[in-house]
Amino acid sequence: QAVRQAVLHPSFHFLFWSYFVCGFHTAFITLHLPAFVTDSGLSAADGATALALIGLFNVIGSFYAGKLGGRYSKKWLLAGTYAMRAFGIILVLAVPLTPLVLYVFAAWMGLFWLGTVPLTQGLIGDIYGLRYAATLSGIVFLGHQVGSFSGVWLGGYVYATTGSYNGVWWLGLGLAVLAALLCLPVRER
């Protein structure tokens, strides 16, 4: 009954599809960033360092996303997180890739990497209550996993057919904006 109620509630769908975008970004970047970096003329070590920076800054970003989510509107923080991801992707698209640009991008994306998790899970608890929060969170997380598959597969497909990741970066930018917009109509209660 709780699942049926949630599926009929528009906010549940907004959270599902915004989480799809989170999965798309995190899986695409994690898997394809090293190849993108070497294709851009940087070293594999630069790609590895970028992934390490994402992980390091993710610790900070996730902690503060949860902390801020306890004080401020989670939907606005979630929308802001996706908007800040869009800004990071714009950096990669607009500025020639150097080690410094790559490291700034990685640190920036790390700050907004999995900060979506405490905010999304918090919204599910706030909106639907805690009794079935684990079940409902699992269903919303399915959106993340479908997004992850899509990001990895599409990244490989686009690269194999065009020889470039640019199309997927542009799609990632559009999806980040869409996810930010999807969070705005979420009803927090």
Side-chain angles (χ1 to χ4, degrees):
Q1 185 178 0
V3 172
R4 193 174 312 118
Q5 269 185 332
V7 169
L8 295 174
H9 194 252
S11 292
F12 192 76
H13 294 277
F14 298 146
L15 293 171
F16 181 94
W17 290 109
S18 66
Y19 229 16
F20 170 95
V21 174
C22 179
F24 184 95
H25 287 152
T26 56
F28 166 71
I29 292 171
T30 300
L31 186 67
H32 294 287
L33 185 67
F36 172 75
V37 166
T38 57
D39 282 357
S40 299
L42 303 180
S43 72
D46 290 324
T49 301
L51 289 176
L53 286 170
I54 289 172
L56 175 64
F57 281 84
N58 177 51
V59 173
I60 299 163
S62 294
F63 175 78
Y64 281 103
K67 196 156 184 65
L68 291 170
R71 300 181 79 195
Y72 302 104
S73 166
K74 290 174 190 68
K75 80 172 187 177
W76 285 100
L77 290 168
L78 194 56
T81 296
Y82 288 114
M84 294 299 101
R85 283 185 181 191
F87 183 77
I89 295 170
I90 288 171
L91 176 69
V92 165
L93 290 169
V95 179
L97 197 63
T98 65
L100 178 61
V101 169
L102 175 65
Y103 299 156
V104 168
F105 164 78
W108 183 263
M109 289 303 278
L111 288 174
F112 304 103
W113 196 246
L114 291 178
T116 59
V117 175
L119 298 173
T120 301
Q121 303 311 312
L123 279 167
I124 289 170
D126 289 349
I127 297 167
Y128 305 104
L130 297 178
R131 183 166 182 197
Y132 298 105
T135 301
L136 297 176
S137 293
I139 294 168
V140 169
F141 190 66
L142 175 64
H144 192 280
Q145 298 306 91
V146 173
S148 295
F149 166 81
S150 301
V152 168
W153 181 83
L154 196 58
Y157 178 79
V158 168
Y159 186 80
T161 56
T162 68
S164 170
Y165 287 109
N166 285 345
V168 185
W169 283 112
W170 281 105
L171 178 60
L173 172 61
L175 287 173
V177 171
L178 177 63
L181 294 173
L182 283 172
C183 293
L184 297 179
V186 169
R187 291 178 49 209
E188 294 189 77
R189 297 282 171 224

